[in-house]
Amino acid sequence: MREIDTKRLKDLIKDPAKNLSTINIMLKNKLITKEKLSELIAAGVIEGEYSFADVKNYPFADRDAVLRSVASHLQLEYVDLDSLDFNYKFAIRLPFQRIVKYSIIPIEERKSEIVVAFSDPLDVEAKDFLRRTINKRLEVVVASEEQVREYLKKLEIEKGMKDVITKIHRSLHTTEDQDGSAILELIELVVKTSIDMRSSDIHIEPSEHSCIIRNRVDGVLIRTFLFERDIYAPLSSRIKLLANLDIAEKRLPQDGRFSYQIAGTPYDFRVSTLPIVAGESIVIRILDSSKATISLSQTGMVETNYERLFRALKSSYGIVLVTGPTGSGKTTTLYGALNELKSVKDKIITVEDPVEYQVEMIQQVNVNKRAGLDFAKTLKAILRQDPDKIMIGEIRDHETLRIAIEAALTGHLVLSTLHTNDAVSSITRMLDMGIEPYLLGGALVTVQAQRLVRKICPKCKTVVTVDPSSLNEKIANMLPEDNSYTFYKGTGCNSCAFTGYMGREMVCEVLEITDKMASMISANEPREAILEEAIKSYGFKTIVDIGLEKALQGITTIDEVLRVTKS
């Protein structure tokens, strides 16, 4: 590249809003490479033509590559914070607000120097602050802005937790903090951390010498905090007060709920207590109200399954079932279905235990067993309310199932859940509950069986070699014979808490009941024959089939598919 071209390109970079299309054309036509562009931007940053703040406004720039180039030019070490085991206690000794302001992470304190990671190694003000604060030589290393930001969050939690625990210990031995504000701060910090981690549940468990807090993230428990045992009593009492539970009752299980605002966003929390040998196990379910407005298209269903379920929801009567084990996302799917159904023209009533999310235009009923209001009694009352569509939280017994089928056969669309491993097994399960085959054959419209698989973390996703002989025969036979397939996994990074996974997605099978299959159910034919007919008539795919497709697409891992499908 000639000098004049370099000068012209630097002029274009100075005004990215005006010249973005020109730069993109140059990249597309390979007149300039991204690597060369990063080097030019880095040179401009070093020469003071533009700052790191400017680089954020350059959609064509790889900020990490620019930072690496600057570090190399300044002969500074570029570090991966995830690979370092640095001392949090040393880091939080420095004025925390200044650390956040300058976006720096103190890593190590040595005899005559301190090592600090900078996301902007040219920040003179930050260096002056450190030299004034600590009378030691400063060694600057460089780390990505994203990593620095993540570790600053961890430092904030560490510092906040240390301060709160100190307050609580002080209040336990003095008359300070009579209103329990320190415990409320601890609860807020635990809840905020859990939400940041994308947790679905918070487990607070006492042991002989400690109080352990674990979070369920993407279906797997992770230990988050470990406190001394004396923290447990005031913590459990305050949670019970928030949830309107009896703080004196420690011999019986209790259930309650409370609402809380975190960073301006309202959340609902469902609390369950269970007496155990060491005290009470407390589980807090985090109810994200955004799930109440989710649509079926956002659940990750493959298009053919989405179309089958959508057709079922347009039926004027019949039963649509969602099946799967606990924690497989059945409730979220039902709420997605309700969002597809709700209309001014239809009266929709739900009976749930308990109501998790409130949905506009839908009448929702809470089961109250203490008052004698169970699923069956509520359903009988609902049918006298002139509903068009009914959602039953779960079919648990013969009576509830019979009322649901009668409602379906008398012109109502009924949605519900059932605990079975696959779609075809739900037919056998309902027959075992004592329903006549001819009634079931006439009422059943569609059955969806589902699981939730963890998605591979996009930040540490890598190709992995899988030996077909290590898989079971069923899975191995489903793979392409020419070995033209690739599997992936996450190696683990700070973003995914070193699990290799981030987020979850549904895998499901949708069994659409055709006229012939309805006749087969009425004739009480075996499940194998019904499954064979579904595959023959419309290419029915099982959960394992769909899961394997998602693994081959790099959405999840083959191990995760095998785990959730028990294949």
Side-chain angles (χ1 to χ4, degrees), residues 371-534:
L373 187 66
D374 58 16
F375 276 109
K377 283 185 179 177
T378 307
L379 268 175
K380 288 176 183 176
I382 282 173
L383 291 172
R384 293 192 289 272
Q385 286 279 311
D386 186 30
D388 296 288
K389 298 173 174 65
I390 301 166
M391 191 268 269
I392 307 167
E394 184 185 347
I395 292 176
R396 299 177 179 174
D397 52 47
H398 169 80
E399 188 180 4
T400 304
L401 178 58
R402 178 165 291 279
I403 297 168
I405 285 181
E406 287 173 0
L409 292 172
T410 53
H412 303 89
L413 181 67
V414 179
L415 311 181
S416 190
T417 69
L418 197 65
H419 284 277
T420 58
N421 289 328
D422 56 68
V424 180
S425 295
S426 63
I427 297 168
T428 310
R429 169 86 174 111
M430 287 185 284
L431 293 173
D432 289 343
M433 288 171 77
I435 291 298
E436 294 83 349
Y438 70 90
L439 288 177
L440 185 60
L444 199 58
V445 175
T446 293
V447 183
Q448 171 169 311
Q450 67 179 64
R451 304 286 190 278
L452 292 176
V453 291
R454 290 181 292 171
K455 296 193 291 185
I456 299 171
C457 172
K459 302 258 178 90
C460 57
K461 182 176 176 179
T462 185
V463 174
V464 62
T465 302
V466 175
D467 182 3
S469 63
S470 67
L471 304 171
N472 66 35
E473 188 178 350
K474 181 182 176 183
I475 294 286
N477 290 338
M478 292 165 66
L479 295 173
E481 292 181 4
D482 60 357
N483 293 331
S484 61
Y485 56 85
T486 306
F487 287 119
Y488 303 83
K489 73 169 186 178
T491 55
C493 64
N494 181 59
S495 296
C496 61
F498 300 95
T499 61
Y501 297 98
M502 184 179 286
R504 289 191 289 177
E505 186 167 294
M506 179 203 295
V507 289
C508 68
E509 59 186 35
V510 178
L511 184 72
E512 193 172 16
I513 308 299
T514 62
D515 290 343
K516 184 172 181 181
M517 288 164 65
S519 300
M520 293 172 75
I521 294 169
S522 298
N524 203 10
E525 293 199 27
R527 68 180 296 281
E528 291 77 12
I530 296 169
L531 178 59
E532 189 178 330
E533 173 58 26

Side-chain angles (χ1 to χ4, degrees), residues 7 41 141 191 227 244 304 340 344 420 506 542:
K7 184 178 183 303
I41 294 169
V141 296
V191 167
F227 303 131
N244 290 318
T304 50
E340 299 280 1
V344 177
T420 58
M506 179 203 295
T542 66

Side-chain angles (χ1 to χ4, degrees), residues 198-241:
R198 301 174 293 104
S199 306
S200 59
D201 301 87
I202 305 167
H203 291 244
I204 302 170
E205 301 157 336
S207 65
E208 186 179 352
H209 301 293
S210 58
C211 170
I212 302 162
I213 295 185
R214 298 192 290 170
N215 290 86
R216 190 172 295 281
V217 181
D218 297 334
V220 177
L221 280 172
I222 300 170
R223 196 177 86 174
T224 317
F225 300 110
L226 180 65
F227 303 131
E228 293 176 20
R229 171 69 196 219
D230 59 357
I231 296 292
Y232 173 76
L235 178 61
S236 60
S237 295
R238 177 58 71 168
I239 289 170
K240 283 184 170 184
L241 281 173

